[in-house]
Amino acid sequence: MRPIAAALSLLLATTACTTMDAQPPAASAERLVAPILTTPDAVDSSTFAQPQVARVTHVALDLALDFERDRVGGTATLDILARPDASQIVLDSDGLQVSRVTDGRGNELDFDIGERVEGKGAPLTITIGNARHIVIAYTANPQASALQWLDPEQTAGGEYPFLFSQGQAILNRSWIPTQDSPGIRQTWEARVTAPKPLDVVMSGILQGEPEDLSNGRRAFRFVMDKPVAPYLIAIAAGDIDFRAIGPRTGVWAEPAILDRAHWEVADTEDMVKEAEALYGPYRWGRYDMIVLPPAFPFGGMENPVMTFLTPTFIAGDRSLTGLVAHELAHSWSGNLVTNAVWADSWLNEGVTSYFENRIIEEIYGEKRAEQEAALSFAAIEDTLAEVGTDVPGTALHQPDGTDSAGSAIVYDKGAAFLRTLEHEVGRERFDAWLRQWFDNHAFEPATSAMIYEDMRKNLAHSEAEAERLRLREWIYEPGLPANVARPDPAAFATVDAAAAAYGTSRAIPAAAAWRKWSSAERQRFLQKLPQQLSAEELAQLDRQLGLAATGNNEELFLWLELALANRYEPAVPKAEAFLAEVGRAKFVRPLFATLMEEGEWGPPIAQRIYAKTRPSYHAVTRGSVDKVVGWKE
């Protein structure tokens, strides 16, 4: 039996007799309630909640979007599961303006918002007494860190405003009063009103057609009947249209980019089918996507039933659709089985990165999958070369206080771990194990200790084999274990030879050959170029390969990073235009960091550009770049 709070069975048996106020709708009795893990490694330090005492099981939102004041407000109705002697529930909040809390009968409940803790928000403590159904009336701060309000000129259409949210890791507490921890899964529903003609989408299933209201607004209703981590509650609203891909897949986007977006993601229905063939049924109903304005800070966000995507993946040749495969794979690893604490993020991202590569292999072939895996592995090697192989932050499990070595560990080392296991035990046996992991822990939180024990029990045939597989070393120790399965050197043999030739004789590949290379091959070539190049050498590369004019943002980023690191003046206008258009932190932060490292030349350029572009960035991006450029309000 998984480590569930000892009191939970009692709670489930006694909820009815301890609920004194009005009952939730009858349908709520059928909602799945996920367990709470109580082992020390599952206690989440990023939340104020005390779920062993009182926990949220369901959230019902009734909200209005105010684009004139950049505010969202209304009510959040919470269903609570609590110990019979519990008199309070503690929620997470960050900047919420709470005006009233009542029980199910409308009786006022006392509440207190405690002192704010930097990076964590403030506890919202509510005296619930016997109430197990409470209503919170509130308004979110216009500067809510999860929300980005865009003016019309920041959108592709230029006519209407736009709103999107980004809740990971602990930002949703800035617009939803709940227990904002990945280990406290909750079902939810929402009614959201917005001014016409804007459409609203959320990470739940849309219920029927929007309802026309008498005040120039429409109401949209959504339901998520599976318990999810709170960071996965997401919203977007704007001038967006929908186009179907398959019977359960489709894409939303602004009308100006819908054609391009739809073409780029046309393989999505096939991806879902291949993912199901690998690791079991897709359990969320629909799989839709929305391509957001460029200010979105991430490549993608795996919000259930509505993946959020950056437009920077649209290359016109589907060469960057690994992003779609990655977010889809999260429907199993991350959404279905979720890390209980952020110290175990690799359970989401590392497993997903492995799964992504398997989908790519099925859709686009073994060669592309091998090349993308090789790029991933190179990122690990680069990180270890930079920070060292014995740094605690290079372990997969990263307890509180550990400075993470970054995405190359959480994503790429996690994927390398699973590729190594597949190589060691064989694909058939490995796939059977991973599928049962998803099945046996569906809609539940998990920890590194849990997957370690599951591997020992259900993957390794003996304790000796568990030792041979180095399971504990992979999860808990820094660096790369000696049994790591390295990518096939032949994956980039041609490209690496071309990069070596450029390094020795400055021989540039022919433009025709360059165009025939895959995006992974072009990225590999750019990464392998000498780090110190003259202005003339950079100009020759650009002229022959068309680097500054590419429509592939991954390749453009690598070119700009190389050019700026060599103080190449002709690249500055292109970099400025790129940073003004794109808010993806993966691109933005490194380019500003590169400029800041270039003596007296770069910092003035970085500070001048950032002063213009900062207002257009999401809080996630601003937070990282502020530190790089030394921004002072």
Side-chain angles (χ1 to χ4, degrees):
M1 185 176 181
R2 290 174 293 280
I4 302 172
L8 187 57
S9 296
L10 175 63
L11 293 177
L12 290 172
T14 59
T15 300
C17 67
T18 59
T19 301
M20 302 296 290
D21 56 276
Q23 295 294 311
S28 67
E30 302 173 4
R31 296 186 188 119
L32 178 63
V33 177
I36 297 292
L37 306 180
T38 58
T39 54
D41 61 335
V43 176
D44 183 7
S45 64
S46 69
T47 180
F48 294 102
Q50 301 168 9
Q52 301 92 335
V53 177
R55 61 164 297 192
V56 175
T57 61
H58 182 75
V59 179
L61 300 171
D62 193 343
L63 303 174
L65 305 183
D66 184 344
F67 284 89
E68 293 185 359
R69 297 189 300 165
D70 292 353
R71 297 177 78 97
V72 57
T75 62
T77 301
L78 309 183
D79 291 351
I80 298 168
L81 188 62
R83 289 195 320 224
D85 62 344
S87 61
Q88 295 182 325
I89 187 169
V90 182
L91 309 179
D92 294 300
S93 71
D94 191 6
L96 300 178
Q97 299 169 13
V98 179
S99 58
R100 188 182 187 215
V101 181
T102 59
D103 65 13
R105 294 173 175 170
N107 298 312
E108 299 276 348
L109 298 177
D110 291 335
F111 67 91
D112 176 70
I113 298 178
E115 185 175 347
R116 188 178 190 278
V117 176
E118 185 65 31
K120 189 175 177 179
L124 169 56
T125 303
I126 300 169
T127 301
I128 56 175
N130 291 326
R132 298 296 182 263
H133 190 63
I134 65 174
V135 182
I136 304 170
Y138 74 99
T139 304
N141 191 294
Q143 283 76 47
S145 55
L147 303 179
Q148 176 111 24
W149 301 87
L150 302 180
D151 295 328
E153 56 268 25
Q154 294 175 278
T155 68
E159 186 175 356
Y160 298 101
F162 205 103
L163 165 69
F164 65 80
S165 69
Q166 173 50 50
Q168 193 177 17
I170 60 170
L171 301 183
N172 267 357
R173 62 192 65 183
S174 69
W175 73 287
I176 303 172
T178 188
Q179 293 173 321
D180 189 12
S181 168
I184 311 176
R185 299 176 70 115
Q186 303 151 30
T187 54
W188 63 271
E189 60 190 287
R191 176 183 180 272
V192 179
T193 69
K196 296 178 181 179
L198 304 186
D199 280 300
V200 178
V201 297
M202 293 190 75
S203 52
I205 300 295
L206 179 66
Q207 304 296 294
E209 294 296 319
E211 175 191 359
D212 280 314
L213 305 177
S214 60
N215 56 356
R217 299 175 70 84
R218 292 188 297 171
F220 300 77
R221 294 180 182 272
F222 305 88
V223 169
M224 172 48 66
D225 62 354
K226 313 291 193 305
V228 298
Y231 72 87
L232 293 171
I233 304 174
I235 189 170
D239 178 22
I240 50 177
D241 288 337
F242 175 78
R243 188 168 300 169
I245 299 167
R248 56 181 166 175
T249 54
V251 61
W252 291 84
E254 293 187 72
I257 66 168
L258 184 57
D259 286 345
R260 294 172 57 222
H262 183 264
W263 187 92
E264 205 78 14
V265 299
D267 296 326
T268 303
E269 185 73 31
D270 290 337
M271 287 185 178
V272 178
K273 293 176 183 176
E274 295 297 344
E276 289 184 310
L278 285 167
Y279 299 125
Y282 179 78
R283 308 184 194 212
W284 304 92
R286 291 198 58 82
Y287 183 77
D288 292 325
M289 298 157 284
I290 179 170
V291 178
L292 295 166
F296 187 59
F298 294 155
M301 184 61 208
E302 63 272 16
N303 303 309
V305 313
M306 187 62 67
T307 281
F308 284 19
L309 295 170
T310 172
T312 62
F313 86 101
I314 298 176
D317 59 4
R318 299 179 187 148
S319 60
L320 302 180
T321 49
L323 174 65
V324 178
H326 183 92
E327 305 310 333
L328 169 63
H330 268 302
S331 301
W332 286 260
S333 47
N335 297 359
L336 190 64
V337 186
T338 309
N339 51 246
V341 293
W342 295 110
D344 287 328
S345 293
W346 78 274
L347 289 176
N348 285 16
E349 299 299 353
V351 178
T352 292
S353 296
Y354 169 83
F355 193 170
E356 165 200 342
N357 195 251
R358 293 291 300 278
I359 296 172
I360 292 298
E361 180 180 328
E362 296 298 329
I363 299 294
Y364 300 111
E366 188 174 348
K367 180 181 179 181
R368 174 168 166 178
E370 288 180 349
Q371 290 181 340
E372 293 187 6
L375 285 180
S376 170
F377 192 81
I380 306 171
E381 293 183 309
D382 289 345
T383 293
L384 293 178
E386 179 181 349
V387 305
T389 59
D390 58 352
V391 173
T394 63
L396 292 178
H397 174 69
Q398 300 178 352
D400 289 346
T402 303
D403 290 329
S404 174
S407 62
I409 303 303
V410 175
Y411 290 70
D412 302 311
K413 181 182 174 181
F417 178 27
L418 298 199
R419 279 195 293 271
T420 298
L421 293 177
E422 179 205 330
H423 176 78
E424 293 277 2
V425 306
R427 178 167 282 191
E428 182 177 357
R429 184 171 145 200
F430 175 84
D431 284 351
W433 167 76
L434 187 52
R435 180 164 180 163
Q436 69 81 35
W437 168 257
F438 293 141
D439 289 343
N440 291 337
H441 299 278
F443 305 112
E444 295 182 0
T447 64
S448 285
M450 288 170 61
I451 200 170
Y452 170 64
E453 290 301 326
D454 197 272
M455 288 174 173
R456 291 178 62 199
K457 176 182 177 182
N458 297 314
L459 180 63
H461 283 165
S462 65
E463 194 62 35
E465 185 173 30
E467 291 293 326
R468 180 180 64 82
L469 294 174
R470 300 174 181 259
L471 301 178
R472 174 167 286 280
E473 182 181 351
W474 268 102
I475 296 172
Y476 293 103
E477 296 184 20
L480 277 177
N483 69 332
V484 62
R486 297 180 179 274
D488 185 352
F492 286 121
T494 300
V495 175
D496 287 349
Y502 183 83
T504 57
S505 63
R506 295 301 189 260
I508 302 175
W514 174 261
R515 286 192 295 269
K516 291 180 180 179
W517 283 359
S518 67
S519 179
E521 288 171 322
R522 293 193 291 266
Q523 291 178 54
R524 173 79 166 200
F525 178 82
L526 291 170
Q527 291 170 343
K528 289 287 185 177
L529 287 175
Q531 293 305 294
Q532 294 186 345
L533 294 171
S534 69
E536 180 54 32
E537 288 167 338
L538 291 165
Q540 290 174 344
L541 281 165
D542 190 20
R543 280 196 301 269
Q544 184 140 334
L545 304 180
L547 298 173
T550 179
N552 185 304
N553 285 293
E554 295 283 353
E555 297 166 24
L556 178 59
F557 162 71
L558 290 173
W559 162 246
L560 291 174
E561 191 174 40
L562 177 66
L564 295 178
N566 284 279
R567 306 185 185 185
Y568 183 54
E569 287 284 355
V572 173
K574 184 69 176 181
E576 184 166 3
F578 183 73
L579 291 167
E581 179 181 346
V582 172
R584 187 176 177 183
K586 173 186 176 180
F587 297 149
V588 173
R589 184 187 183 283
L591 290 181
F592 278 112
T594 297
L595 284 168
M596 291 300 294
E597 291 167 359
E598 290 307 310
E600 297 181 357
W601 178 81
I605 297 173
Q607 290 158 355
R608 173 179 60 80
I609 295 175
Y610 194 50
K612 295 179 181 178
T613 60
R614 187 180 185 275
S616 70
Y617 295 150
H618 186 273
V620 169
T621 303
R622 290 199 307 269
S624 63
V625 182
D626 282 354
K627 298 175 184 177
V628 169
V629 302
W631 180 264
K632 303 293 184 183
E633 290 284 1

